[in-house]
Amino acid sequence: MNSLSDPSPVLIPIIALMIPIVSVIAIVVLKIVRLQLLHETIRQISASGQTVPSELLSEIVKTKASLNDR
């Protein structure tokens, strides 16, 4: 009866499967947040009348391409 009340044989595989899933979700969320911050930076630069550096634009293209690869 003790083996039926011990949840560790069930929890260990569930946790082992959740770790990669959570890490993939975290990576995608961080990329999306970074992309939003880049867009906000470009919006503020263009609103102030300055020219947008090509490095920022290429960074957005690279980030969007990496998100579409998933």
Side-chain angles (χ1 to χ4, degrees), residues 25-69:
I25 291 171
I27 290 170
V28 170
V29 167
L30 289 175
K31 283 185 179 184
I32 290 172
V33 168
R34 186 169 186 264
L35 188 63
Q36 288 174 343
L37 290 173
L38 282 170
H39 279 145
E40 181 64 22
T41 301
I42 290 175
R43 188 190 67 76
Q44 288 178 355
I45 288 173
S46 63
S48 67
Q50 299 175 350
T51 58
V52 178
S54 61
E55 293 87 11
L56 285 178
L57 295 175
S58 65
E59 192 67 31
I60 287 179
V61 171
K62 184 174 68 173
T63 305
K64 281 189 175 184
S66 70
L67 281 175
N68 289 335
D69 289 342

